[in-house]
Amino acid sequence: MKQIDAKDRQIIRELQRDGRLTNQDLAERVNLSPSPCLRRVRLLEEAGVIVGYSADVDTRACGFQITAFIRIALQRHEGDAVERFEKRIQDADEILDCFLLTGEADYLLRVVVADLDEYEHFVRNRLHGIPGIGSITTSLVYGTVKSSRVFPL
Amino acid sequence: MKQIDAKDRQIIRELQRDGRLTNQDLAERVNLSPSPCLRRVRLLEEAGVIVGYSADVDTRACGFQITAFIRIALQRHEGDAVERFEKRIQDADEILDCFLLTGEADYLLRVVVADLDEYEHFVRNRLHGIPGIGSITTSLVYGTVKSSRVFPL
DNA sequence: GCATTATTTGGCAGCACATGCCAGAGGCCT
DNA sequence: AGGCCTCTGGCATGTGCTGCCAAATAATGC
């Protein structure tokens, strides 16, 4: 695997800012001509540095009034319970992210749902249906101070 | 402002899955011809439903070994302190996300840095430099079970 | 220091795609 | 049913993508 150099970093930065940048514009911004620029992008994609591209959608405008962060601790940590738990996480579309954390909780989930009714439904029918959960701590998001997809220089 | 219909939702879904989809491919997937499809996309952009597009980059592969979630409670909540705090958040490139939360903490931050040294530097020089912070609780990410950008159906 | 090799770059050509315009289809109210 | 409004589809033009080859630059050996 190749090493990432300064030019690659520039490319990544620009594509994080605008994932639909034209290859020509991108090339111009990083002071390259289109062909080598495109090749670098393809290499970054193949190397798994650039995993994909996506539209950033406003949750509220799209009808999802509730975003919640949920911290979960398991009762037991045998491989079996963990596997089943993570499988259920994968299958729940409302759960966008799930991270393994150090600290008091084991997992941190980010969940979006249309409204409080759906949230209740999600917690009662989905979360509580997963065996092996020890504790659940919910925090609702009532504001977004910052939301960036661009890594620090 | 227009109401979002089923076709718009389909478009949003496809563009969340692949933000670089060609308008032609997109049109095909949602059973539309290119022109009306493109128009819908533009309307969604202008309406602020689609906020932008971005490349999804692997933090580790890009050299950021550490991702941390940091919960912060303020000491005081006068408008002044809050404003200054949030300004500092905006200016810190290491902080990718910052949400206002219900529950014990006031804020949840998502932070990425290259390594533990940089993390220490960030906490000591950036975070502790912000006045008015009451408590800080750090959780390091040591695994990602799920990471999706596609909203539930 | 010079020659050789490897890697990266830039330009060109053919092809696919985006985009604005206009006519036609479908829905809705009266 | 008629008329109005909205949305769709097709076409034409200009722009961008992408693969190939030659030139330039960087790395290596002697």
Side-chain angles (χ1 to χ4, degrees), chain B residues 1-17:
Chain B
M1 168 143 53
K2 275 268 96 131
Q3 195 54 32
I4 293 177
D5 65 9
K7 202 124 279 189
D8 289 327
R9 252 179 273 276
Q10 258 186 292
I11 290 176
I12 289 169
R13 196 174 178 74
E14 295 299 333
L15 284 179
Q16 283 185 322
R17 279 206 247 258

Side-chain angles (χ1 to χ4, degrees), chain B residues 35-128:
Chain B
S35 338
C37 182
L38 182 63
R39 182 156 9 175
R40 278 171 180 270
V41 173
R42 293 284 175 267
L43 285 175
L44 289 169
E45 290 168 355
E46 280 160 28
V49 178
I50 296 178
V51 179
Y53 301 86
S54 62
D56 304 332
V57 179
D58 185 284
T59 48
R60 313 290 279 281
C62 195
F64 296 92
Q65 298 304 315
I66 307 283
T67 298
F69 282 96
I70 305 178
R71 281 173 288 145
I72 291 180
L74 294 188
Q75 285 172 341
R76 298 162 296 113
H77 299 81
E78 296 93 56
D80 211 31
V82 171
E83 250 180 56
R84 265 179 311 165
F85 175 78
E86 298 190 355
K87 175 74 167 61
R88 300 287 282 267
I89 297 287
Q90 300 287 357
D91 294 345
D93 291 338
E94 299 94 335
I95 302 172
L96 295 188
D97 296 320
C98 174
F99 301 102
L100 274 156
L101 290 192
T102 66
E104 295 174 26
D106 293 316
Y107 295 97
L108 177 68
L109 317 188
R110 182 167 62 99
V111 170
V112 301
V113 287
D115 51 38
L116 274 177
D117 282 356
E118 269 199 22
Y119 184 71
E120 188 204 352
H121 182 267
F122 168 76
V123 172
R124 294 173 73 119
N125 297 30
R126 299 271 199 158
L127 271 192
H128 290 162

Side-chain angles (χ1 to χ4, degrees), chain A residues 6-31 37 41 44 50 53 56 149-151, chain B residues 20 53-57 62:
Chain A
K7 202 126 277 188
D8 289 326
R9 251 179 271 277
Q10 259 186 290
I11 288 176
I12 290 169
R13 194 173 178 75
E14 295 299 332
L15 285 178
Q16 283 185 322
R17 281 205 246 258
D18 181 0
R20 294 213 67 148
L21 258 186
T22 280
N23 182 53
Q24 300 205 5
D25 287 349
L26 177 59
E28 196 173 323
R29 290 189 197 194
V30 302
N31 295 315
C37 183
V41 172
L44 288 169
I50 295 177
Y53 300 85
D56 304 332
R149 322 202 141 285
V150 184
F151 293 163
Chain B
R20 295 213 65 147
Y53 301 86
S54 62
D56 304 332
V57 179
C62 195

Side-chain angles (χ1 to χ4, degrees), chain A residues 3-86:
Chain A
Q3 194 54 32
I4 294 176
D5 65 11
K7 202 126 277 188
D8 289 326
R9 251 179 271 277
Q10 259 186 290
I11 288 176
I12 290 169
R13 194 173 178 75
E14 295 299 332
L15 285 178
Q16 283 185 322
R17 281 205 246 258
D18 181 0
R20 294 213 67 148
L21 258 186
T22 280
N23 182 53
Q24 300 205 5
D25 287 349
L26 177 59
E28 196 173 323
R29 290 189 197 194
V30 302
N31 295 315
L32 234 56
S33 69
S35 341
C37 183
L38 181 64
R39 184 172 0 211
R40 277 170 179 270
V41 172
R42 292 286 173 266
L43 286 176
L44 288 169
E45 288 168 358
E46 280 161 27
V49 178
I50 295 177
V51 179
Y53 300 85
S54 61
D56 304 332
V57 180
D58 186 284
T59 49
R60 313 290 278 283
C62 193
F64 295 93
Q65 299 303 316
I66 307 282
T67 298
F69 282 95
I70 304 179
R71 281 173 288 146
I72 291 182
L74 295 187
Q75 283 171 341
R76 297 162 297 111
H77 299 83
E78 295 93 56
D80 211 31
V82 171
E83 252 180 55
R84 265 179 312 165
F85 174 79
E86 298 190 356

